[in-house]
Amino acid sequence: MQIYKVGGAVRDRLLGKPVTDIDWVVVGATTEEMLAKGFRPVGADFPVFLHPKSGEEYALARTERKSGRGYGGFTFHASTEVTLEEDLIRRDLTINAMAEDDQQNLTDPYHGQRDLEARLLRHVSPAFAEDPLRVLRVARFAARYAGLGFTVAPETLELMRQLSESGELEALTAERSWKEISRALMEDQPQVFIEVLRECGALKVLMPEVDALFGVPQPEAHHPEIDTGVHTLSVLEQAAQHKQSLTVRWACLLHDLGKGLTPEEEWPRHIAHEHKGLKLIKAVNERFKAPKDCQELALLVGEYHTHGHRALELKPSTLLELLQSFDVYRRPQRFEEFIAACEMDARGRKGLEQRSYPQADYLRGAANAARTVAVQPLLEKGFKGPELGEAIKRERLKVLKTYKEKA
Ligand code: CTP
C-alpha cells in the first residue's frame, strides 16, 4: 500500500501556513489489511480509519457518485484498483486535490499548485456539484484566503450559481451548514463569505433575510455608506478586526434584519426595525440550529442595539429596563458581548471606523452601579417575594439616577 498526505495539509504547507490536522489517503489497501495493522474504522461501512496512535484519518482511495438529493445520497467505491488520481478528482478545489508522499513529492494532476500561485479557488471537475455544501466551503475559503489575494474562479462561481438555483442547497442539514457558517464567521474576513454567497445566489436561498438588506437605503447622516447590506458587511468586518467572538459576529450579521421589512415609501427611515426584525432573527437562528448563546445574543442585540447607541440619553428607568433585560447581575459576560456588538455596529459605517464609542464605558459603569445594590439590607427590612423584587428595582433606579447625574 502507498500512503499520501492529502487536502488541507498539503495546501497549507505550500502556502506556508501552519498545518493543524492531517488527512491521509491509502492506495492499494483493503479494509482487512488496515484492520490487521491496528487501524480503527470510523463507521461500519465507510472506508475511513483512525490511526491507532496519532488518531489521524486514513481513507482508502475511493470514487464517489451521487445517487440522490442531499448528503445521504452517495454511493462510493473503494478498492485496491482505485488510483490516487481517481481519488483526487472527486475533491472540491484544485488546491485541495494535491497529494504528497513521505519524501514531499507532490502529485498534482489538476494543477493545484498553479492555482495556488494564481490565487484562484477553482473546482476540480463537474463532480464538484455532487456535494452542495461545497458552495459554502468555497465561500469560507474565500473568506480565509482573501488577505492573500485569493478569488473564486469565474467558472467555479458559475457552477456555484447553478447549484444555488437548482434547489440542492435546501437539502443541506442545519448541522452541516452551521459548521461552515460558524467557521466562516471566525475567519479573518467573514464579510467575504457573505459577499461570495450573495454573488452566486446562495445567500438568497440560505439567508434571504440578509440578502434582502442589499439595496435598502438608510439615512446618510448616520450611515454614510447608505446601503444596509453594505453596512452589515462592514459591521462584520469590524467584528473580525476586533477579534470578536462567534456570538458577537453572529449578532452583528443579524442585527438589522428588520430594515429589510420597511415599506419602500418609509425609506430611508426604519421605524421600529429593532422589534420587527425579531421574528426574522428567530427564523434564521432556528434554520441553522445556532447554539443557544448565539441565538440569545442575536435576539438581544437585534432588540436593543439602538438603546446601546443612545445610552447617554436614556432615562434612568429605560437604562434599568435594559440592564434587567440582560440580567447583568448574573450574566456579566453577555452584557459585555452586547456592548461589543453595538460598538461594531457604530464603527461599521463608511468613514466612521475609528470613531470613539463612549457609550461602552457608560453602559459598563451603569451595570456596575446597579450591581452595588445589596439584597441583604432589604431582606432585613422584611421584604419578601415580588415585593422584594420591586424594592431591589427601586434601589437600583435610585443608584442609576445618581450615576446619570454624575456622568
Ligand atoms: N473535501 C471535499 N469536499 C467536501 C469536504 C472535503 O472535496 N465537501 C476534501 C478536500 O480535498 C479537502 C479534504 O476533503 O481538502 C479534507 O476536508 P476538510 O478536512 O473538511 O478540509 P480541509 O481542506 O482540510 O480544510 P480546513 O483547513 O478548513 O480543515
Side-chain angles (χ1 to χ4, degrees), residues 330-341:
R330 280 179 297 186
R331 306 280 303 270
Q333 179 58 23
R334 186 173 63 179
F335 194 57
E336 272 304 316
E337 293 196 313
F338 164 71
I339 295 173

Side-chain angles (χ1 to χ4, degrees), residues 301 304-305 308-309 337-347 357:
V301 170
Y304 294 111
H305 60 276
H309 302 328
E337 293 196 313
F338 164 71
I339 295 173
C342 291
E343 186 167 347
M344 299 305 106
D345 177 24
R347 290 174 188 264
Y357 195 69

Side-chain angles (χ1 to χ4, degrees), residues 64-66 74 88-94 110 122-132 134 155-156 159-160 162-163:
E64 277 176 354
R65 210 156 23 84
K66 196 167 170 59
F74 256 106
L88 294 176
I89 203 170
R90 71 174 169 81
R91 292 171 183 267
D92 53 2
L93 296 172
T94 60
Y110 310 109
R122 190 202 307 274
H123 66 286
V124 178
S125 80
F128 178 92
E130 299 193 344
D131 181 6
R134 289 171 171 170
E155 64 271 30
T156 302
L159 195 54
M160 289 161 71
Q162 287 167 18
L163 261 170

Side-chain angles (χ1 to χ4, degrees), residues 7-8 11 23 91-92 96 131 134 137 140 144 183:
R11 176 197 69 221
D23 292 311
R91 292 171 183 267
D92 53 2
N96 289 341
D131 181 6
R134 289 171 171 170
R137 277 177 63 89
R140 170 166 67 82
R144 183 189 296 176
R183 290 186 71 188

